[in-house]
Every structure is written in C-alpha cells, then in structure tokens.
Amino acid sequence: MEIDTKLLQNMTSQLRVLFVEDDEQLREETTHILKALFKEVTVAGNGKEGLELFIEKHKAEKGYFDLVVTDIVMPKMSGIDMAKKIVLHSPQQNFIFISAHQDSDYLVNLIDIGSTSFISKPITFESLKSVLYKSCLQLEQSSLQKNLLYKVLDENKKLKKQLEAIEAGKKDNPGCC
C-alpha cells in the first residue's frame, strides 16, 4: 500500500519523535526525513544518550515523546535495553525498531516490550512512511479512546450529581414522587 506523503505529514505534524541511531550517515539521512514530517525531532547517537534525552524531556516538560524510533544494536546501550528502561517511565510508549538483524531473539524482545513496528535496514523512504503511518494510526486510535474515556467519566460524574440531587429532594419532600 502506497502512503500519501501529505496525509502522513498531516498525521505527524503535531507529534514529537525521539530518533536513536548510531550510524552517522543513516542518522543524518533519516533525521532529514523525520524533520520534514514531525513537529519536533530529538536525535541521539546511542541508547544511553537516547534514554537520557527521554528522561530530560520528562523532567523539563512533564511530557514524553509520542514516538521513539530506535536502532536495536548500538554501543553503550542497545535499543532494546533503552526501550525497557523507557517503558518504566512511560508504559504506553510507542516504539519503532530498526535493525539489519532479523534474529528471532530480537523479535521476541520487541514483542515483550509491546512493539508492533519494525523496519529492516537498509531503510527505504516507502518502508519508513508505511511504518510511520501505521504507528500514527495506533497513536490516533489510542488518543481517541482516551478522550472518549474521559468524556464518559465526566458524564458519569454529572449523572451521579443529578441522581444525588434527586435523592436529596425525595428526602426533603417524602410525599412527593
């Protein structure tokens, strides 16, 4: 399925992404693409640096990244180890993993973390767009579900207050109703 770039830009234009990749050339090329799509792109060269940037963002802004795109095999800290530590801070964090390796051990770890998105190296623009599109749809769905839940909870509070008012009215006027 070919993804319309304008549609993808519309979906990503208000999102913040953390991109973690140790290969300098790939990091620069992919960062250029991500900056054309996302509101904010923060870049790290290894998992340790990525984790530090993730934690700094939370401390400074009380927020997290909407999406973390990370290589798996990196020096200092792997993308998987970084993701496991990030999940301790943000259990619902969305990840896209990138790797030249397709070893089943890696894939099992990704599933354990809760990732459903994986891009094989070498990265093509089309494969990146496709995975970003799917991840953004998941983010959008999650956001809609959360908003709906808040509306239901708010409406529930209003209904409880109305019921309490009705019950209080019955106690004050026992001959009524």
Side-chain angles (χ1 to χ4, degrees), residues 6-21:
K6 294 264 186 221
L7 173 63
L8 183 60
Q9 284 176 318
N10 188 41
M11 295 172 78
T12 60
S13 65
Q14 296 304 308
L15 300 178
R16 299 157 309 190
V17 64
L18 172 62
F19 177 53
V20 187
E21 170 62 57

Side-chain angles (χ1 to χ4, degrees), residues 96-133:
I96 295 175
F97 289 94
I98 303 168
S99 183
H101 304 279
Q102 294 189 9
D103 184 352
S104 61
D105 289 341
Y106 288 127
L107 300 178
V108 168
N109 277 311
L110 301 182
I111 292 167
D112 288 344
I113 294 166
S115 174
T116 57
S117 300
F118 181 83
I119 302 174
S120 295
K121 289 182 182 178
I123 299 173
T124 66
F125 183 57
E126 289 305 315
S127 68
L128 180 62
K129 283 192 331 183
S130 178
V131 170
L132 287 174
Y133 178 77

Side-chain angles (χ1 to χ4, degrees), residues 78-108:
S78 75
I80 291 172
D81 290 339
M82 178 192 71
K84 286 178 180 177
K85 291 181 189 242
I86 285 174
V87 167
L88 296 175
H89 295 276
S90 177
Q92 301 303 316
Q93 182 61 54
N94 291 291
F95 295 94
I96 295 175
F97 289 94
I98 303 168
S99 183
H101 304 279
Q102 294 189 9
D103 184 352
S104 61
D105 289 341
Y106 288 127
L107 300 178
V108 168

